[in-house]
Structures are given as structure tokens and as C-alpha cells.
Amino acid sequence: MLRIVLALALLATPAAAQTLRVGQIGQQTGTLDPHRATATPDKGPASWMFDGLVRFPPGSADPGTLEPDLAERWERSADGLAWTFTLREGVQFHHGMGTLTAEDVAFSIRRAATAESSAFAGDYRDLAAVEVVDPRTVRVVFRQPVPSALGLLANYHGGMIVSKRAAETGDFAQRPVGTGPFQFEAVEPGGLRLVAHAQHFRGTPKLAGVHVRFIPSDQTRELAYTAGELDLFIGRREQRWVERMKQAPNTVVEVFGPGEFRTLLLNTRSAPLDDIRVRRAVIHAIDVPGIVRFVGPDVAQLWPSPVPPGYLGAITDVPTYPHDPARTRALLAEAGHPQGITLKAVVSSITAQLPIMEVIQAQLRRVGITLEADVVEHATYHARIRQDLSQMTFYGAARFPVADSYLTQFYHSRSAPGQPTMSLNFAHCSAADAEIDAARSEPDPEKQAALWATAQRKIMEAACSLPLYDLRQVWVRSSRVALGYALEGAMNLAPPITAETALR
């Protein structure tokens, strides 16, 4: 009888909280500051430590589903310029840094809009003012209607809310303070430790913490998982690998969006690519459908337009350049290069990029185009392309799913290297500046969509880039990991780890 009582007592006792072990790509965390976290390895951990005024529900990347987060409610003015947010009462920052106030929110948004403190400042160029109405009320005012205004204030990129006190007094990039379900504990060689934020406003997390291990090699991450050293890890975005991992015991493979849209940007300022005939020749030489078949249909979606699939305003009716080696040779000869050309590209060594660039290199070689690849570690790749050292830049990114975000960052001249508002326009494209600007201030949705469509067609006509495919996210988890939601999408390139996530 005593044994039965003891057994029942044990069953009734909650299991001790456990630490989730996560395998992330890369060698080490780059920055823990959410307003500077642009690299894939940094975005996930930032999203686990910080909240926004509003949030994408866990498992969703649909902007139509945004819901209250640090703000319990909000109102928009009739002209769409002013947004007033009422904050939840009593939200606590990590490490005893006090209660969230409108001052923290205003500071965070201004910080996100400042180039010296944010990698996303260009997204906030239409921000006119951030006003503290009272300790729990903040008003955000724009100069003109912004298509993704609420998205700028969500739990993504510049929308993360930070502690004003912590950001002003310490090394915030290495000791961040937010309000999220997990708080920073320590950076260690090749790793990052987070612990549960017991005072999180959604409740004490079911996990004791999160231990992130940075492992550059896909094979090594997989081996660590099969050895029982990881519970969740970023996988290899290749069809055969996904199919093989689906056969592993007690394993769940999560394939979700939004994808990181893969684009090959051609530097229109760099000879011989400053000749549109040469750019078109390069594009005609590349067999994009063949590349997509190589990657695999579960993880890659062929897409012809500069704006990724699923984004508001994206179209497919754009000028295209089918794979045509004969046309490539004719255009090169017409441009004065009958013997071919040599181009230089900085290429990341990660498996999501290097194999594709090797395929492209081989395709170009067949038509007399030599591509000299400078293969470097991923962080070095990011540094060098921003120094304008690559004539062809293979880039993958996910942004708030509205055409404006992609067009502005990748194709407006003010986003080119060397500009004060530099972002990701490695093509130095300026073909659609007028339409991109006009669309931002156009209140009529139909006219706005028409401007975005014209912009996409002009960019393709100018051969600024070759859109390749949308590469979906691939993560693998043990069946012991209960995410607490159905994973259909995640804006921060990693599964959300919430207060409800647990290990069974």
C-alpha cells in the first residue's frame, strides 16, 4: 500500500524544469543586441529574450494575425499616421532592471530608428515622432502611411523592446536586457546560455533555460543530435537530407516559412557588369530550374520576381531571362567580349550557399564566364560584401512580408554600399526608386500595388538581379520537445521558444 501511495505521489509531482539544448549554425554569437542582430545565428536567441508591442502568434508568420504582446491594446488615427499603444501593467525586465514603462518603449523605437544603434534604421525613415503620453501610453507618429507600420513594432528586428537603463549603462551587445521568457546568463566559447525569466508576464517558463551551441558544420550538428547532445537544431536545407532525417527515430523535421529568399545580385557599378548586355548574358547562362531541382521541392520554391512569394504586393508577371547559353554568347560578343569575361564573388562557406554558388560557377564556365570565388567564413562574407568587394552577391533573407520592405532594402539606391542608409542593395540598383518611394506614401491599396508591380518589372528589365528561389527553414527536434504550438511560420528564422515550450 505504501508503494502505491508513493508512486501516486511521484506522478502528482511536476517534473523538474529542464534546459533545452539547441544547435545553431555559426561559430559564436555575433551580437545579442536585437537592433543589430541581422545574422541567422543571432535572430533566434534575440527573439527568445525580447518582446515587441505586438507579436506574431507563436508558429505564425502571417502579418494578418498580429496580436497584443507588451501592448494590451492600440488605436490607429483615421489618417493612419498615429498609433497609440497602452502597455500591460507590471511587465518586468530581466535581472531586476525594473518595470517596463512608456519611456523604455519610446527609447527602443528611437534607438531602432537610429543608424548608429540599429541595423534596421532604414525601415523607420518615415518615423516622425515617438511620444510618451503617460507611463503606460506611447504614441508613434509617421510622416506618411507606412504599409508595414504595425510590423515595425512587432517582435521582429527593430520592434524588439529593450531596457533603456541597461542599454545606456552597459555593454548591451554582450549583456542584453529585455522582457522575454528567457534572459541572458552567459556567453561561453562556442555557446550561449539563457535562463528562464520567472517573472515573465505570460507566466514562468516551463523550461529552466536554453543552452545554445554554435556548430558551423551541418554534419557535426547532426552527430551531436544523434548522440543525444541536442534537443533541437537547425538542419540542412536539402531534399535528400530532409527525407533521411524524417526516418530517424523519435524525430520531427519542421519545414516552415517564410523562406530566406535567395537572390543573385549583380553589381551594376562594376565593369563589365555596368553593361546591361553583360548582366543579361550572365542571367541567361544560369539554369535556375535546374538549381531548384538540385535543392529539392520540399525546401525550395522557384520564384521569378524580386519580391518573395507570400509578400503583400509580390507578382510573377515580370520580364524573365530563360536559360539560353547561345543567347549568353551572343550578348557577350555584342558587348565586346567574344572570348568571355571574368567576375569575382565573395562566397560564404556555409552549406546553404557554397554548393549553389559552385553550381552557378560551373554553369557560367560552360559559356565562357569565369567566376573567381573568394570562399570565406560566413561572418567574413557579410563584412566583405558590405565593403562592396563582390561583383556577384548571393544573398538570402526574410523580411516583414510586405513588398516595400524588400524593395527598399535591396533595390533602392539609398540602400547601396557607401550610402549613410546602406542596407542590402549590393546591385547598386536605382531603376525603381521613384516607384518605391511613391508606393510608400500611396494611401490607395490598388494604386500602391500597381506601383510595387511596376517597380518589380523595372528592376527585372534593368537586370539588377536574378531571383532564384525561396528556401524554407528546416529545423529538427526530438519528439520530447513540445513546442506548445503548431509551427507553420516563424519570422526570426528559428522556432519560437516560449513560456509554454517544454521537454517531456
Side-chain angles (χ1 to χ4, degrees):
M1 183 67 178
L2 179 59
R3 290 179 181 176
I4 295 175
V5 171
L6 289 172
L8 290 173
L10 288 172
L11 288 173
T13 302
Q18 301 178 67
T19 296
L20 183 72
R21 301 164 301 171
V22 179
Q24 180 58 280
I25 197 169
Q27 295 180 322
Q28 185 62 60
T29 183
T31 178
L32 300 176
D33 184 338
H35 296 158
R36 293 188 180 278
T38 60
T40 298
D42 299 331
K43 290 186 179 185
S47 71
W48 308 331
M49 291 187 286
F50 293 89
D51 299 308
L53 286 173
V54 299
R55 73 169 184 168
F56 290 88
S60 173
D62 180 358
T65 65
L66 288 172
E67 63 183 19
D69 201 16
L70 295 177
E72 63 182 19
R73 63 181 182 275
W74 62 87
E75 298 176 353
R76 185 183 68 168
S77 62
D79 60 9
L81 297 180
W83 297 72
T84 303
F85 296 87
T86 301
L87 305 181
R88 294 179 189 269
E89 188 171 5
V91 174
Q92 296 300 304
F93 278 113
H94 302 157
H95 304 295
M97 293 295 280
T99 302
L100 171 76
T101 70
E103 289 286 353
D104 294 293
V105 173
F107 170 83
S108 298
I109 298 172
R110 292 168 187 151
R111 185 176 188 267
T114 302
E116 290 74 22
S117 55
S118 170
F120 312 109
D123 297 344
Y124 298 82
R125 60 175 52 88
D126 288 322
L127 182 69
V130 186
E131 304 165 356
V132 174
V133 179
D134 61 46
R136 286 187 56 209
T137 309
V138 63
R139 181 177 297 115
V140 182
V141 183
F142 295 94
R143 296 184 183 88
Q144 59 187 8
V146 176
S148 55
L150 203 56
L152 295 176
L153 307 170
N155 58 334
Y156 175 66
H157 283 179
M160 305 290 196
I161 302 303
V162 307
S163 162
K164 180 176 185 288
R165 175 183 163 193
E168 289 182 332
T169 59
D171 182 6
F172 198 76
Q174 293 302 312
R175 189 171 177 79
V177 176
T179 61
F182 297 92
Q183 63 186 23
F184 171 79
E185 181 180 35
V187 171
E188 55 194 19
L192 168 67
R193 289 188 179 275
L194 311 179
V195 295
H197 177 36
Q199 294 178 294
H200 191 249
F201 66 90
R202 295 187 188 275
T204 300
K206 294 179 179 178
L207 291 170
V210 181
H211 179 204
V212 182
R213 287 177 56 189
F214 293 95
I215 307 173
S217 166
D218 294 331
Q219 184 178 15
T220 304
R221 287 196 305 278
E222 181 184 340
L223 288 172
Y225 172 75
T226 56
E229 298 171 6
L230 297 174
D231 307 301
L232 172 72
F233 74 100
I234 187 170
R236 189 163 185 152
R237 287 178 281 182
E238 293 180 2
Q239 186 75 26
R240 287 172 292 182
W241 190 89
V242 168
E243 291 173 355
R244 178 168 60 81
M245 288 304 298
K246 285 181 177 179
Q247 304 306 312
N250 304 314
T251 294
V252 179
V253 180
E254 301 277 11
V255 181
F256 57 95
E260 288 181 274
F261 189 52
R262 268 30 188 174
T263 304
L264 191 66
L265 295 140
L266 305 180
N267 191 331
T268 62
R269 294 280 184 89
S270 177
L273 293 175
D274 54 350
D275 187 328
I276 192 172
R277 295 170 296 184
V278 175
R279 297 199 299 275
R280 289 175 175 171
V282 170
I283 294 174
H284 277 299
I286 298 173
D287 179 9
V288 180
I291 292 172
V292 171
R293 288 192 298 272
F294 171 78
V295 179
D298 281 357
V299 295
Q301 177 185 356
L302 181 68
W303 191 256
S305 181
V307 176
Y311 282 50
L312 178 66
I315 63 170
T316 56
D317 180 19
V318 296
T320 58
Y321 305 88
H323 178 52
D324 187 345
R327 183 63 179 149
T328 292
R329 293 187 181 93
L331 283 167
L332 287 177
E334 182 182 327
H337 306 285
Q339 303 306 314
I341 59 173
T342 297
L343 301 172
K344 298 180 184 295
V346 178
V347 178
S348 171
S349 61
I350 63 172
T351 57
Q353 181 174 147
L354 180 56
I356 305 304
M357 286 301 288
E358 290 174 338
V359 171
I360 290 173
Q361 186 181 47
Q363 293 178 349
L364 293 175
R365 187 183 303 119
R366 296 188 192 112
V367 293
I369 300 174
T370 299
L371 180 63
E372 297 180 350
D374 179 17
V375 180
V376 296
E377 189 271 327
H378 197 58
T380 304
Y381 153 82
H382 274 287
R384 291 187 181 177
I385 61 177
R386 284 163 174 78
Q387 294 166 7
D388 215 18
L389 298 177
S390 189
Q391 291 182 288
M392 297 176 62
T393 301
F394 179 94
Y395 204 91
R399 293 292 181 265
F400 188 79
V402 173
D404 173 73
S405 62
Y406 228 84
L407 291 172
T408 296
Q409 292 189 29
F410 282 87
Y411 297 104
H412 198 289
S413 60
R414 62 174 166 253
S415 297
Q419 298 298 316
T421 52
M422 171 193 170
S423 185
L424 301 166
N425 184 3
F426 303 114
H428 290 273
C429 193
S430 59
D433 282 6
E435 287 77 14
I436 296 171
D437 286 335
R440 291 181 68 85
S441 58
E442 177 52 62
D444 185 313
E446 290 187 5
K447 292 180 180 178
Q448 184 180 66
L451 287 164
W452 283 335
T454 299
Q456 291 167 77
R457 294 185 183 110
K458 283 191 171 185
I459 290 165
M460 292 306 297
E461 181 67 27
C464 291
S465 70
L466 174 60
L468 297 170
Y469 54 90
D470 199 44
L471 186 64
R472 293 169 65 79
Q473 309 302 320
V474 175
W475 281 72
V476 175
R477 62 180 171 90
S478 164
S479 57
R480 294 180 59 239
V481 178
L483 293 174
Y485 56 85
L487 180 53
E488 297 178 356
M491 289 300 299
N492 291 293
L493 310 184
I497 299 177
T498 74
E500 294 301 313
T501 302
L503 279 166
R504 293 179 289 219

